């Protein structure tokens, strides 16, 4: 009888040990290897979890996981100095091979940064504005009232996690996301070049930047951590520094239109341009390739694009493409309490301040802006032929832009 009990006890202990191994060592960027190098006031120190502070409201399993993770934090508290020195090295200018980047070019001019005090006040104001609108019961939009647990996994695919530095970035296409993804690759060391992690963001080829396999995103947690995935997400959201960048929603639409329909893009021509030309420009027998269409002068107009966005049939067939999907559907700002909100209109200052707060400004610098970036001043000309009532249907009025149109929830 005693031997049988010992055998059962051994089986239980081995099972528990294997579960812990699966949780901790499932992949090489697992939860157990994250580093918190941030200086924000709201994220807590690693010891806060171990001491039980701020975790009283969490379920038992969350408390267990928090303690497990905190023990790993103590073992992995900093990046080696040698690695830090290596990361500041690398070329200072990009190798431009992509058509879109070649057309735009880079702006290597210097910009006068805001003072840290001004930036701190700006962040407080942006976060306050967001909280007020999310709490405003008279202001509604789809999915506003749901909780984080109600968000399907597939809608969390824009939240990129860097476990090495304790950072979560929600990327919004057409808001400098290519270069922010490059920064995340360098920080997380998720991509190697001949066995060595990339040190300079601009050395990373564009095709690798947008490859989903390059990044660890929240939607991948389920297959990595199973039933523990939501608990781990909540712990990371509580402990990590979370940021996103937004822009004027109308200007974001112009930027999306320019890059996807004014340049030859085979995929977007077949998936979107052909249906738009047929539905809104009465074209038939269209060329099968974008080069033939451009050669024949067959291009989608901006008016066609706006009609496509307003057409109720559009999303019945498929959700909006991420390049023009609203931010509240990409980053869930009323369910996730972001620590830093940047704007494209102040990208250079915001990026420099954020890297400083993350204490990675010695490791890298944010890549320079495009010279030919779509500017807010273009908006009047582009929307001149679009009725004002139509504009209101595309994006309702919110805060956070030069004329009080909110890019955070709807851009």
């Amino acid at each position: 009888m005693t031997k049988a009990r010992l055998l059962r006890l051994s089986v239980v202990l081995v099972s528990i040990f294997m579960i812990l191994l699966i949780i901790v060592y499932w992949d090489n960027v697992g939860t157990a290897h994250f580093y918190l190098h941030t200086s924000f006031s709201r994220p807590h120190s690693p010891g806060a979890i171990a001491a039980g502070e701020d975790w009283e409201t969490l379920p038992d399993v969350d408390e267990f996981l928090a303690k497990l993770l905190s023990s790993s934090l103590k073992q992995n508290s900093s990046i080696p100095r040698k690695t830090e020195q290596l990361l500041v090295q690398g070329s200072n200018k990009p190798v431009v091979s992509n058509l879109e980047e070649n057309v735009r070019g880079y702006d290597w001019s210097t910009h006068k940064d805001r003072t840290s005090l001004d930036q701190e006040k700006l962040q407080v104001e942006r976060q306050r504005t967001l909280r007020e609108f999310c709490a405003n019961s008279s202001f509604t939009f789809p999915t506003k009232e749901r909780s984080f647990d109600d968000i399907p996994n597939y809608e969390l695919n824009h939240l990129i996690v860097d476990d090495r530095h304790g950072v979560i970035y929600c990327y919004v296409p057409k808001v400098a996301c290519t270069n922010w993804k490059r920064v995340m690759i360098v920080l997380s060391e998720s991509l190697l070049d001949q066995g060595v992690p990339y040190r300079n963001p601009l050395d990373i080829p564009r095709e690798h930047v947008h490859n989903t396999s390059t990044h660890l995103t929240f939607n991948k947690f389920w297959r990595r951590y199973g039933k523990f995935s939501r608990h781990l997400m909540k712990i990371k959201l509580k402990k990590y520094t979370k940021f996103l960048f937004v822009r004027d929603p109308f200007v974001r639409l112009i930027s999306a239109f320019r890059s996807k329909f004014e340049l030859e893009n085979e995929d977007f021509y077949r998936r979107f341009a052909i249906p738009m030309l047929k539905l809104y420009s009465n074209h038939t027998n269209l060329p099968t390739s974008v080069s033939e269409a451009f050669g024949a002068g067959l291009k989608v107009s901006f008016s066609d694009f706006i009609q496509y966005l307003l057409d109720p049939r559009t999303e019945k067939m498929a959700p909006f493409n991420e390049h023009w999907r609203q931010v509240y559907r990409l980053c869930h700002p009323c369910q996730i309490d972001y620590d830093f909100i940047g704007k494209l209109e102040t990208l250079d200052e915001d990026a420099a301040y954020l890297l400083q707060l993350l204490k990675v400004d010695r490791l890298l610098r944010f890549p320079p802006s495009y010279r030919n970036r779509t500017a807010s001043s273009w908006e009047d000309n582009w929307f001149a032929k679009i009725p004002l009532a139509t504009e209101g249907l595309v994006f309702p009025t919110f805060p956070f832009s030069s004329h009080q149109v909110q890019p955070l929830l709807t851009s």
Side-chain angles (χ1 to χ4, degrees):
M1 182 65 69
T2 303
K3 290 184 178 180
R5 288 181 179 177
L6 287 175
L7 180 60
R8 286 197 295 269
L9 180 60
S10 300
V11 171
V12 171
L13 290 175
V14 169
S15 299
I16 293 173
F17 179 72
M18 292 302 297
I19 291 173
L20 291 176
L21 281 180
I22 291 172
I23 294 173
V24 177
Y25 298 108
W26 189 267
D27 70 291
N28 60 355
V29 290
T31 306
H33 301 287
F34 64 87
Y35 304 74
L36 293 180
H37 287 197
T38 66
S39 60
F40 286 103
S41 59
R42 285 195 304 144
H44 311 286
S45 64
I49 298 183
E53 297 175 10
D54 266 354
W55 296 99
E56 295 178 359
T57 59
L58 291 179
D60 292 340
V61 67
D62 285 0
E63 183 178 356
F64 165 74
L65 290 172
K67 290 179 179 178
L68 174 66
L69 299 181
S70 66
S71 64
S72 298
L73 275 171
K74 294 176 181 178
Q75 298 173 9
N76 304 298
S77 58
S78 64
I79 301 176
R81 190 73 175 178
K82 183 177 180 181
T83 304
E84 185 174 300
Q85 293 173 349
L86 284 172
L87 285 174
V88 298
Q89 300 175 359
S91 60
N92 290 324
K93 293 189 177 181
V95 178
V96 179
S97 59
N98 180 271
L99 174 61
E100 185 173 346
E101 293 181 349
N102 190 39
V103 169
R104 293 177 172 188
Y106 287 96
D107 178 10
W108 287 90
S109 60
T110 58
H111 301 269
K112 184 178 180 180
D113 292 341
R114 283 192 176 97
T115 65
S116 295
L117 182 61
D118 289 340
Q119 281 284 352
E120 185 177 347
K121 290 180 178 178
L122 187 62
Q123 284 303 312
V124 170
E125 177 63 22
R126 289 176 181 174
Q127 291 171 6
R128 182 190 63 80
T129 304
L130 174 59
R131 286 195 298 269
E132 287 179 356
F133 271 81
C134 287
N136 188 343
S137 58
S138 63
F139 177 76
T140 61
F141 57 88
T143 72
K144 177 188 174 185
E145 301 299 330
R146 69 181 177 181
S147 68
F148 178 76
D149 286 330
D150 294 328
I151 303 173
N153 279 328
Y154 67 84
E155 290 187 18
L156 299 172
N157 62 332
H158 280 240
L159 290 155
I160 299 176
V161 181
D162 167 25
D163 283 316
R164 300 186 71 251
H165 298 86
V167 179
I168 296 174
Y169 163 53
C170 186
Y171 71 91
V172 179
K174 311 313 302 175
V175 190
C177 77
T178 299
N179 282 335
W180 276 117
K181 284 181 178 181
R182 285 177 166 138
V183 168
M184 293 296 286
I185 289 172
V186 171
L187 293 179
S188 64
E189 298 187 357
S190 60
L191 188 65
L192 305 180
D193 180 24
Q194 297 181 347
V196 180
Y198 281 97
R199 309 301 185 191
N200 181 4
L202 285 175
D203 288 339
I204 305 171
R206 189 182 182 91
E207 60 269 20
H208 296 325
V209 173
H210 296 295
N211 188 327
T212 57
S213 64
T214 304
H215 306 281
L216 173 62
T217 50
F218 265 7
N219 67 308
K220 297 178 180 178
F221 274 37
W222 175 254
R223 66 173 177 265
R224 292 171 183 263
Y225 307 115
K227 66 179 182 179
F228 293 109
S229 59
R230 285 284 164 158
H231 299 300
L232 291 172
M233 288 180 201
K234 289 178 181 178
I235 290 174
K236 289 174 188 286
L237 287 172
K238 197 172 185 70
K239 296 294 295 181
Y240 287 14
T241 300
K242 306 164 292 295
F243 77 94
L244 80 166
F245 273 73
V246 298
R247 75 188 298 183
D248 184 304
F250 292 110
V251 181
R252 180 173 171 237
L253 281 184
I254 298 171
S255 178
F257 176 81
R258 289 180 66 210
S259 67
K260 303 306 176 186
F261 300 112
E262 288 197 335
L263 298 176
E264 292 189 8
N265 187 310
E266 198 69 49
D267 181 48
F268 276 76
Y269 171 73
R270 292 179 179 177
R271 291 172 57 197
F272 303 107
I274 288 179
M276 289 184 204
L277 289 169
K278 289 181 177 180
L279 286 171
Y280 312 120
S281 294
N282 297 319
H283 286 294
T284 56
N285 299 321
L286 290 165
T288 57
S289 71
V290 65
S291 58
E292 292 179 75
F294 274 41
L298 296 173
K299 295 183 179 182
V300 170
S301 69
F302 188 63
S303 179
D304 291 339
F305 179 52
I306 296 300
Q307 281 187 270
Y308 165 81
L309 295 177
L310 294 175
D311 194 329
R313 296 172 293 180
T314 298
E315 288 213 275
K316 290 181 180 179
M317 293 184 289
F320 277 167
N321 180 268
E322 64 176 2
H323 291 87
W324 46 84
R325 191 179 307 161
Q326 300 94 325
V327 170
Y328 75 82
R329 298 168 63 182
L330 298 173
C331 295
H332 320 288
C334 287
Q335 288 78 30
I336 297 174
D337 190 12
Y338 285 94
D339 302 290
F340 188 96
I341 301 168
K343 289 181 62 178
L344 193 72
E345 291 81 359
T346 54
L347 174 63
D348 298 304
E349 300 94 330
D350 289 354
Y353 182 58
L354 175 59
L355 294 180
Q356 179 185 345
L357 288 174
L358 296 174
K359 296 186 178 180
V360 297
D361 51 315
R362 294 186 59 188
L363 308 184
L364 50 78
R365 70 167 181 166
F366 188 77
S369 307
Y370 291 127
R371 286 193 303 265
N372 196 26
R373 188 170 69 199
T374 305
S376 298
S377 58
W378 299 14
E379 185 175 321
D380 290 341
N381 291 333
W382 279 80
F383 281 92
K385 296 182 181 180
I386 306 297
L388 185 60
T390 300
E391 292 186 27
L393 288 173
V394 179
F395 290 117
T397 301
F398 295 127
F400 276 124
S401 74
S402 58
H403 61 307
Q404 294 303 300
V405 177
Q406 214 287 30
L408 183 57
L409 299 181
T410 60
S411 63

